[in-house]
Protein backbone atom coordinates (compact mmCIF):
# COMPACT_ATOMS: atom_id res chain seq x y z
CA UNK A 1 0.00 0.00 0.00
CA UNK A 2 1.39 3.37 -1.04
CA UNK A 3 2.00 5.75 1.87
CA UNK A 4 0.62 9.25 1.83
CA UNK A 5 2.83 12.31 2.16
CA UNK A 6 1.75 12.77 5.78
CA UNK A 7 2.67 9.18 6.63
CA UNK A 8 6.10 9.59 5.04
CA UNK A 9 6.74 12.78 7.04
CA UNK A 10 5.58 11.04 10.20
CA UNK A 11 7.93 8.08 9.56
CA UNK A 12 10.87 10.40 8.92
CA UNK A 13 10.10 12.24 12.15
CA UNK A 14 9.93 8.95 14.06
CA UNK A 15 13.26 7.78 12.62
CA UNK A 16 14.90 11.08 13.52
CA UNK A 17 13.50 10.94 17.06
CA UNK A 18 14.62 7.32 17.56
CA UNK A 19 18.08 8.16 16.20
CA UNK A 20 18.34 11.10 18.61
CA UNK A 21 17.28 8.96 21.57
CA UNK A 22 19.72 6.23 20.54
CA UNK A 23 22.60 8.71 20.42
CA UNK A 24 21.59 10.13 23.81
CA UNK A 25 21.90 6.63 25.25
CA UNK A 26 24.95 5.33 23.37
CA UNK A 27 27.22 8.39 23.65
CA UNK A 28 27.40 8.37 27.49
CA UNK A 29 27.94 4.59 27.45
CA UNK A 30 30.65 5.00 24.83
CA UNK A 31 32.30 7.72 26.90
CA UNK A 32 32.38 5.43 29.95
CA UNK A 33 33.75 2.58 27.81
CA UNK A 34 36.45 4.91 26.47
CA UNK A 35 37.56 5.87 29.99
CA UNK A 36 37.73 2.19 30.95
CA UNK A 37 40.14 1.55 28.06
CA UNK A 38 42.29 4.68 28.45
CA UNK A 39 45.01 4.53 31.11
CA UNK A 40 46.20 7.99 30.14
CA UNK A 41 43.06 9.85 31.22
CA UNK A 42 43.27 11.56 34.61
CA UNK A 43 39.97 13.35 35.04
CA UNK A 44 40.48 16.08 32.48
CA UNK A 45 37.52 17.12 30.34
CA UNK A 46 37.93 15.25 27.06
CA UNK A 47 34.79 14.39 25.06
CA UNK A 48 36.60 12.22 22.55
CA UNK A 49 35.36 8.62 22.32
CA UNK A 50 38.78 7.31 21.20
CA UNK A 51 41.24 6.25 23.96
CA UNK A 52 44.60 8.03 23.81
CA UNK A 53 46.47 5.19 25.54
CA UNK A 54 44.51 2.01 24.87
CA UNK A 55 44.83 -0.70 27.52
CA UNK A 56 42.74 -3.45 29.08
CA UNK A 57 44.59 -3.09 32.38
CA UNK A 58 41.47 -2.15 34.33
CA UNK A 59 39.62 -5.24 33.09
CA UNK A 60 42.57 -7.43 34.05
CA UNK A 61 42.49 -5.89 37.52
CA UNK A 62 38.78 -6.70 37.83
CA UNK A 63 39.26 -10.30 36.75
CA UNK A 64 42.17 -10.88 39.13
CA UNK A 65 40.99 -8.87 42.14
CA UNK A 66 38.98 -11.03 44.54
CA UNK A 67 37.54 -7.88 46.11
CA UNK A 68 35.81 -7.10 42.79
CA UNK A 69 35.27 -10.59 41.41
CA UNK A 70 33.51 -11.96 44.52
CA UNK A 71 30.70 -9.33 44.53
CA UNK A 72 30.25 -9.96 40.80
CA UNK A 73 29.85 -13.69 41.49
CA UNK A 74 27.42 -12.92 44.34
CA UNK A 75 25.24 -10.90 41.97
CA UNK A 76 25.30 -13.69 39.40
CA UNK A 77 24.19 -16.24 42.02
CA UNK A 78 21.44 -13.97 43.32
CA UNK A 79 20.21 -13.14 39.83
CA UNK A 80 20.12 -16.72 38.52
CA UNK A 81 18.55 -18.44 41.52
CA UNK A 82 16.40 -15.45 42.46
CA UNK A 83 14.90 -15.19 38.98
CA UNK A 84 14.16 -18.92 38.92
CA UNK A 85 12.45 -18.79 42.33
CA UNK A 86 10.55 -15.61 41.50
CA UNK A 87 9.22 -17.02 38.23
CA UNK A 88 8.11 -20.20 40.00
CA UNK A 89 6.29 -18.42 42.84
CA UNK A 90 4.76 -15.65 40.74
CA UNK A 91 3.56 -18.03 38.01
CA UNK A 92 2.03 -20.44 40.53
CA UNK A 93 0.37 -17.60 42.43
CA UNK A 94 -0.96 -16.13 39.18
CA UNK A 95 -2.35 -19.52 38.18
CA UNK A 96 -4.30 -19.69 41.43
CA UNK A 97 -5.63 -16.15 40.98
CA UNK A 98 -6.64 -16.91 37.39
CA UNK A 99 -9.31 -19.31 38.68
CA UNK A 100 -12.44 -17.20 38.30
CA UNK A 101 -14.45 -19.80 40.23
CA UNK A 102 -12.10 -19.62 43.23
CA UNK A 103 -14.06 -18.40 46.31
CA UNK A 104 -12.75 -15.02 47.42
CA UNK A 105 -10.45 -14.57 44.41
CA UNK A 106 -11.20 -10.85 44.19
CA UNK A 107 -10.44 -10.48 47.89
CA UNK A 108 -7.01 -12.04 47.42
CA UNK A 109 -6.33 -9.76 44.46
CA UNK A 110 -7.20 -6.72 46.61
CA UNK A 111 -4.79 -7.95 49.28
CA UNK A 112 -2.03 -8.17 46.69
CA UNK A 113 -2.82 -4.67 45.42
CA UNK A 114 -2.56 -3.33 48.98
CA UNK A 115 0.96 -4.77 49.29
CA UNK A 116 1.88 -2.92 46.10
CA UNK A 117 0.99 0.41 47.73
CA UNK A 118 2.00 -0.14 51.36
CA UNK A 119 4.78 -2.06 53.11
CA UNK A 120 5.50 -3.01 56.69
CA UNK A 121 8.54 -0.76 56.87
CA UNK A 122 12.27 -1.30 57.08
CA UNK A 123 12.55 -1.91 60.85
CA UNK A 124 9.98 -4.78 60.96
CA UNK A 125 11.59 -6.30 57.87
CA UNK A 126 15.02 -6.11 59.47
CA UNK A 127 13.74 -7.75 62.68
CA UNK A 128 12.11 -10.56 60.71
CA UNK A 129 15.30 -11.23 58.74
CA UNK A 130 17.39 -11.32 61.94
CA UNK A 131 14.93 -13.53 63.83
CA UNK A 132 14.82 -16.03 60.95
CA UNK A 133 18.61 -16.26 60.99
CA UNK A 134 18.92 -14.90 57.45
CA UNK A 135 21.12 -11.91 58.26
CA UNK A 136 24.40 -11.89 56.31
CA UNK A 137 23.23 -14.71 54.02
CA UNK A 138 22.77 -14.44 50.28
CA UNK A 139 19.55 -16.42 50.45
CA UNK A 140 17.76 -13.53 52.15
CA UNK A 141 18.42 -11.30 49.11
CA UNK A 142 16.90 -14.03 46.94
CA UNK A 143 13.81 -14.44 49.11
CA UNK A 144 13.14 -10.71 49.58
CA UNK A 145 12.68 -10.15 45.84
CA UNK A 146 10.98 -13.42 44.97
CA UNK A 147 7.32 -12.32 45.04
CA UNK A 148 5.98 -9.26 43.24
CA UNK A 149 2.28 -8.46 43.21
CA UNK A 150 2.39 -6.50 39.96
CA UNK A 151 4.13 -9.29 38.09
CA UNK A 152 1.66 -11.81 39.49
CA UNK A 153 -1.29 -9.80 38.21
CA UNK A 154 0.30 -9.38 34.77
CA UNK A 155 0.87 -13.14 34.50
CA UNK A 156 -2.68 -13.82 35.68
CA UNK A 157 -4.08 -11.56 32.97
CA UNK A 158 -2.04 -13.42 30.38
CA UNK A 159 -3.40 -16.75 31.63
CA UNK A 160 -6.88 -15.42 30.96
CA UNK A 161 -5.98 -15.04 27.27
CA UNK A 162 -5.40 -18.81 26.98
CA UNK A 163 -8.54 -20.61 25.73
CA UNK A 164 -10.20 -22.40 28.64
CA UNK A 165 -10.94 -25.37 26.38
CA UNK A 166 -7.26 -26.43 26.48
CA UNK A 167 -6.97 -27.09 30.23
CA UNK A 168 -10.53 -28.45 30.33
CA UNK A 169 -9.76 -31.05 27.67
CA UNK A 170 -6.61 -32.05 29.58
CA UNK A 171 -8.64 -32.51 32.78
CA UNK A 172 -11.10 -34.69 30.90
CA UNK A 173 -8.15 -36.91 29.94
CA UNK A 174 -7.24 -37.27 33.61
CA UNK A 175 -4.59 -34.56 33.98
CA UNK A 176 -4.24 -32.96 37.38
CA UNK A 177 -3.73 -29.27 38.10
CA UNK A 178 0.04 -29.58 38.27
CA UNK A 179 0.16 -31.34 34.89
CA UNK A 180 -2.14 -28.72 33.35
CA UNK A 181 0.00 -25.94 34.79
CA UNK A 182 3.40 -27.36 33.83
CA UNK A 183 2.61 -28.89 30.43
CA UNK A 184 -0.07 -26.59 29.03
CA UNK A 185 -0.16 -23.21 30.78
CA UNK A 186 3.59 -22.58 31.15
CA UNK A 187 4.57 -23.54 27.54
CA UNK A 188 1.83 -21.24 26.21
CA UNK A 189 2.95 -18.37 28.46
CA UNK A 190 6.48 -17.98 27.08
CA UNK A 191 6.04 -14.31 26.03
CA UNK A 192 4.93 -13.01 29.41
CA UNK A 193 7.34 -15.30 31.26
CA UNK A 194 10.28 -13.99 29.25
CA UNK A 195 9.27 -10.37 29.82
CA UNK A 196 8.79 -10.84 33.56
CA UNK A 197 12.04 -12.83 33.79
CA UNK A 198 13.88 -9.89 32.23
CA UNK A 199 12.37 -7.41 34.69
CA UNK A 200 13.05 -9.73 37.62
CA UNK A 201 16.62 -10.46 36.53
CA UNK A 202 17.43 -6.77 36.18
CA UNK A 203 15.95 -6.13 39.62
CA UNK A 204 18.08 -8.84 41.22
CA UNK A 205 21.19 -7.74 39.35
CA UNK A 206 20.75 -4.17 40.63
CA UNK A 207 20.23 -5.25 44.26
CA UNK A 208 21.81 -2.51 46.35
CA UNK A 209 19.77 -1.31 49.33
CA UNK A 210 18.96 -4.73 50.79
CA UNK A 211 22.58 -5.82 50.32
CA UNK A 212 23.81 -2.84 52.34
CA UNK A 213 21.22 -3.33 55.11
CA UNK A 214 21.27 -7.11 55.47
CA UNK A 215 24.90 -7.97 54.65
CA UNK A 216 27.64 -7.36 57.21
CA UNK A 217 30.43 -9.21 55.39
CA UNK A 218 31.99 -7.22 52.51
CA UNK A 219 32.67 -10.51 50.70
CA UNK A 220 28.88 -11.01 50.48
CA UNK A 221 28.16 -7.60 48.97
CA UNK A 222 26.58 -7.46 45.54
CA UNK A 223 28.22 -5.91 42.51
CA UNK A 224 26.29 -2.59 42.67
CA UNK A 225 27.51 -2.15 46.26
CA UNK A 226 31.09 -2.67 45.12
CA UNK A 227 30.53 -0.22 42.29
CA UNK A 228 29.27 2.39 44.73
CA UNK A 229 32.29 1.73 46.95
CA UNK A 230 34.65 2.33 44.03
CA UNK A 231 32.89 5.59 43.16
CA UNK A 232 33.11 6.71 46.80
CA UNK A 233 36.84 5.95 46.83
CA UNK A 234 37.22 7.94 43.63
CA UNK A 235 35.59 10.96 45.26
CA UNK A 236 37.58 10.65 48.49
CA UNK A 237 41.12 9.89 47.35
CA UNK A 238 43.55 12.42 45.98
CA UNK A 239 45.92 11.40 43.21
CA UNK A 240 48.76 10.88 45.71
CA UNK A 241 46.62 8.73 48.02
CA UNK A 242 45.38 6.80 45.00
CA UNK A 243 48.91 5.86 43.90
CA UNK A 244 49.64 4.59 47.40
CA UNK A 245 46.40 2.59 47.51
CA UNK A 246 47.06 0.98 44.16
CA UNK A 247 50.76 0.31 44.67
CA UNK A 248 51.89 -3.01 43.28
CA UNK A 249 49.21 -3.31 40.61
CA UNK A 250 51.50 -2.44 37.68
CA UNK A 251 51.57 0.72 35.53
CA UNK A 252 50.85 2.59 38.75
CA UNK A 253 51.71 5.96 37.35
CA UNK A 254 48.78 5.75 34.93
CA UNK A 255 46.15 4.02 37.08
CA UNK A 256 43.21 6.08 38.32
CA UNK A 257 40.02 5.08 40.13
CA UNK A 258 37.85 6.85 37.54
CA UNK A 259 39.01 4.47 34.83
CA UNK A 260 38.65 1.46 37.12
CA UNK A 261 35.11 2.53 38.08
CA UNK A 262 34.24 2.92 34.41
CA UNK A 263 35.46 -0.62 33.74
CA UNK A 264 33.30 -1.94 36.58
CA UNK A 265 30.27 -0.12 35.14
CA UNK A 266 30.85 -1.72 31.74
CA UNK A 267 31.29 -5.17 33.28
CA UNK A 268 28.07 -4.71 35.27
CA UNK A 269 26.17 -4.07 32.02
CA UNK A 270 27.44 -7.19 30.21
CA UNK A 271 25.05 -9.82 31.70
CA UNK A 272 21.93 -7.80 30.89
CA UNK A 273 23.22 -6.94 27.42
CA UNK A 274 23.86 -10.63 26.75
CA UNK A 275 20.47 -11.80 28.08
CA UNK A 276 18.27 -9.13 26.49
CA UNK A 277 18.55 -10.22 22.81
CA UNK A 278 17.24 -13.68 23.72
CA UNK A 279 14.22 -12.22 25.54
CA UNK A 280 13.51 -9.15 23.41
CA UNK A 281 11.32 -10.95 20.86
CA UNK A 282 8.89 -11.89 23.65
CA UNK A 283 9.14 -8.60 25.49
CA UNK A 284 6.51 -6.41 23.77
CA UNK A 285 4.00 -9.20 23.22
CA UNK A 286 4.20 -10.39 26.80
CA UNK A 287 3.72 -6.96 28.35
CA UNK A 288 0.93 -5.87 25.98
CA UNK A 289 -1.14 -9.03 26.35
CA UNK A 290 -0.60 -9.12 30.08
CA UNK A 291 -1.69 -5.50 30.40
CA UNK A 292 -4.92 -5.41 28.40
CA UNK A 293 -6.56 -8.75 29.08
CA UNK A 294 -9.18 -9.12 31.83
Amino acid sequence: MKMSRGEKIFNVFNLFLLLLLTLMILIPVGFVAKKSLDIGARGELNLSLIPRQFSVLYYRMILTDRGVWRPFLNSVIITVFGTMLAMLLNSMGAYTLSKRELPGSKFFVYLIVVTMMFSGGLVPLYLVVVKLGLYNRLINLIILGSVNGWYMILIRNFYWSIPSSLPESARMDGAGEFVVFSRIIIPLSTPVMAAIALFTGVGYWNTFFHAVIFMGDPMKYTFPVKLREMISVQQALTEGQLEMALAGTGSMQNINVEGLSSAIIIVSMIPIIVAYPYLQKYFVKGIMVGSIKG
Side-chain angles (χ1 to χ4, degrees), residues 213-265:
I213 298 298
F214 300 119
M215 291 296 164
D217 185 358
M219 286 293 100
K220 295 184 178 180
Y221 283 163
T222 58
F223 202 60
V225 178
K226 183 62 179 180
L227 174 60
R228 174 56 187 165
E229 179 182 315
M230 293 298 302
I231 295 175
S232 299
V233 170
Q234 172 189 337
Q235 296 172 345
L237 292 180
T238 63
E239 288 296 330
Q241 293 172 320
L242 177 60
E243 292 180 358
M244 294 176 59
L246 296 175
T249 58
S251 300
M252 185 188 66
Q253 69 277 11
N254 289 324
I255 292 176
N256 65 88
V257 176
E258 183 179 0
L260 184 58
S261 300
S262 299
I264 295 179
I265 292 174

Side-chain angles (χ1 to χ4, degrees), residues 101-116:
E101 68 278 5
L102 177 68
S105 60
K106 291 186 178 180
F107 172 74
F108 292 117
V109 172
Y110 291 147
L111 287 181
I112 292 175
V113 172
V114 169
T115 64
M116 295 165 55

Side-chain angles (χ1 to χ4, degrees), residues 10-24:
F10 181 73
N11 288 338
V12 171
F13 175 77
N14 280 341
L15 290 174
F16 175 78
L17 180 61
L18 291 174
L19 178 61
L20 180 62
L21 292 175
T22 302
L23 292 176
M24 291 175 61

Side-chain angles (χ1 to χ4, degrees), residues 13 29 45 52 69 84 92 101 117 202 225 234-235 277:
F13 175 77
V29 174
L45 182 60
R52 290 186 298 178
W69 183 250
M84 293 171 59
M92 293 179 67
E101 68 278 5
M117 297 183 292
V202 171
V225 178
Q234 172 189 337
Q235 296 172 345

